[in-house]
Amino acid sequence: MKRRIPILALMLALVTLLCACAAPSVPQKGTENTPANLQEGNNYKADMENGNNTKESNGRVWPWEDPSITLPPFTGEVTEPGSVKSLKVLAVGDASARDAWYFFPQIAKEAGIEIKIAVLYAAGNLSTHQNENTKYTHYENTGDGWVTVSTEAKKADVLQSEAWDYFIVNQSIANSAKEDGYVVLNDLLGAAKTAVTAQNPNAKVLFMETWVYEANSRNNLFNGLRDFGDTWNKPHGPICALMLEAHQRITKSEVATCASLSKVSTNAKKDGVIPVGTAVHNMRGSYWTDGMTKDGEYLTTTGKTVAALMLFKSLTGYDINGMELSDPVFDHARPHLGVIKESVNNAYLHPYEVSPSVYDILD
């Protein structure tokens, strides 16, 4: 018996080793070792349909791989490439502004446009930005990366420091669909217009539309928007009050009166609206569904690409269909440029209306 024990032990060890080798590895979603999950949030369906779980596709051809689905041509008026030589922009807002402008410099560089982008960040809403005593973190980018200029900047000082081409402000996501969230908008835009045109008579004052929460948002502020009754769970509708159910897709367009539409679109002090929120939600009408935010609230890298391209399209009027987005920061988005450009183009043409996508996945 003493001579058999080592043999039995060896056999058991070999069996254990063989079983371990044969067992399939299980992807650990939600960990630091899953790049797709880090890039596109915690939405499994979006990750799967991005080709990150190819075993789930069962040989299916996804829209971004289907040669029969092509980016529709842009049908509106366009500005000739090269007609915009430089841009000086002062953006004021909450973390939504930081997200939206993050990749703008790389797009401007591809178009050969010199830039000076200043983002004044402070947590809060439009009342926060109307208050002249608010202290901001001042980020700036002149084409060589984002730098922090100050953590106690005043809006008035930065306004007067440069002959800005554009002053752009946004409401916080939590307050974008509330009627009382726009009480100060007229005074804020009026004061900004006076200040910015004092340095540059041709300067424009614009309002950047933010996006709505993801359906899986865990932010407590999400509950505040449920005061809108059954409007929060419609799969299509007015961009400012819309809350998507998980993985529902847009099948048609709908325009309705809501806070952002009624308070912003009719405001006489603004020179225009940048429909970032509409572009983001247009993406949700494609195979992307709910995969546009990393936490239900703030944008993923792909979401930031959509926002930056929407800003670029709005400020330049360029036809973006031919842009390559060749900078390495867009490696994650490049396979999906078709649906990204479509979402931006549709938002540019229909800023208050969610548009259907040719890149939708039909059941």
Side-chain angles (χ1 to χ4, degrees):
M1 290 294 295
K2 290 183 181 180
R3 298 179 62 183
R4 292 181 184 177
I5 291 176
I7 296 176
L8 289 173
L10 179 60
M11 292 177 65
L12 287 172
L14 287 173
V15 170
T16 302
L17 179 62
L18 288 172
C19 290
C21 292
S25 60
V26 179
Q28 301 297 313
K29 293 185 68 59
T31 70
E32 293 182 356
N33 296 320
T34 51
N37 203 46
L38 288 176
Q39 287 183 3
E40 310 307 343
N42 58 0
N43 183 278
Y44 173 75
K45 183 166 184 174
D47 283 346
M48 182 187 75
E49 293 175 353
N50 271 317
N52 298 320
N53 293 280
T54 55
K55 291 182 180 179
E56 300 288 343
S57 68
N58 296 320
R60 184 176 187 175
V61 178
W62 300 108
W64 66 90
E65 299 171 333
D66 189 344
S68 68
I69 302 177
T70 57
L71 172 66
F74 181 69
T75 58
E77 294 184 5
V78 296
T79 303
E80 284 296 318
S83 58
V84 178
K85 305 296 184 183
S86 64
L87 285 169
K88 295 180 180 179
V89 181
L90 173 58
V92 177
D94 65 344
S96 303
R98 293 190 304 186
D99 274 6
W101 288 98
Y102 195 78
F103 289 138
F104 184 91
Q106 287 86 347
I107 299 175
K109 182 178 181 180
E110 181 175 322
I113 299 174
E114 294 183 1
I115 62 165
K116 181 174 183 178
I117 310 297
V119 175
L120 296 185
Y121 158 75
N125 51 38
L126 290 180
S127 295
T128 305
H129 307 312
Q130 185 201 28
N131 187 344
E132 295 299 329
N133 293 320
T134 298
K135 293 182 179 179
Y136 294 89
T137 300
H138 176 187
Y139 302 101
E140 196 166 280
N141 195 316
T142 57
D144 297 320
W146 290 101
V147 296
T148 302
V149 178
S150 171
T151 57
E152 295 188 341
K154 292 290 189 69
K155 180 179 64 179
D157 294 336
V158 182
L159 266 169
Q160 297 167 12
S161 69
E162 184 67 70
W164 303 104
D165 298 311
Y166 295 98
F167 173 91
I168 302 173
V169 69
N170 71 271
Q171 176 61 293
S172 63
I173 302 174
N175 292 279
S176 62
K178 296 181 178 180
E179 287 286 340
D180 61 1
Y182 298 86
V183 174
V184 304
L185 180 62
N186 202 60
D187 290 342
L188 193 163
L189 294 179
K193 184 80 169 181
T194 299
V196 75
T197 54
Q199 303 294 325
N200 177 6
N202 297 318
K204 306 295 183 184
V205 173
L206 306 177
F207 184 87
M208 188 190 83
E209 177 189 271
T210 47
W211 49 96
V212 298
Y213 288 110
E214 205 82 37
N216 64 356
S217 173
R218 295 177 176 85
N219 193 315
N220 291 332
L221 297 175
F222 171 84
N223 296 322
L225 293 185
R226 298 192 177 187
D227 295 338
F228 288 87
D230 66 355
T231 60
W232 74 274
N233 62 1
K234 291 181 180 179
H236 53 79
I239 191 64
C240 55
L242 182 62
M243 306 303 293
L244 266 189
E245 287 278 9
H247 304 144
Q248 284 186 317
R249 293 184 290 276
I250 301 157
T251 57
K252 67 176 183 179
S253 303
E254 178 181 309
V255 179
T257 301
C258 57
S260 178
L261 178 60
S262 61
K263 299 297 183 180
V264 176
S265 66
T266 59
N267 188 283
K269 296 295 179 70
K270 74 175 189 328
D271 294 304
V273 172
I274 302 178
V276 169
T278 303
V280 168
H281 212 72
N282 282 344
M283 283 284 289
R284 290 169 174 162
S286 71
Y287 58 82
W288 272 87
T289 62
D290 281 349
M292 293 301 293
T293 68
K294 60 189 176 184
D295 55 3
E297 184 173 3
Y298 294 109
L299 297 176
T300 61
T301 46
T302 297
K304 291 176 182 178
T305 301
V306 173
L309 198 60
M310 186 75 256
L311 288 164
F312 179 82
K313 173 75 176 177
S314 297
L315 296 186
T316 66
Y318 283 10
D319 186 351
I320 60 173
N321 281 16
M323 298 193 73
E324 297 180 358
L325 270 62
S326 56
D327 192 285
V329 300
F330 299 119
D331 286 349
H332 63 280
R334 201 166 297 110
H336 311 285
L337 285 187
V339 67
I340 290 173
K341 292 174 180 179
E342 178 205 45
S343 298
V344 169
N345 285 335
N346 285 340
Y348 187 84
L349 294 173
H350 310 288
Y352 298 108
E353 180 178 342
V354 178
S355 300
S357 173
V358 300
Y359 296 91
D360 192 12
I361 294 179
L362 301 178
D363 294 326

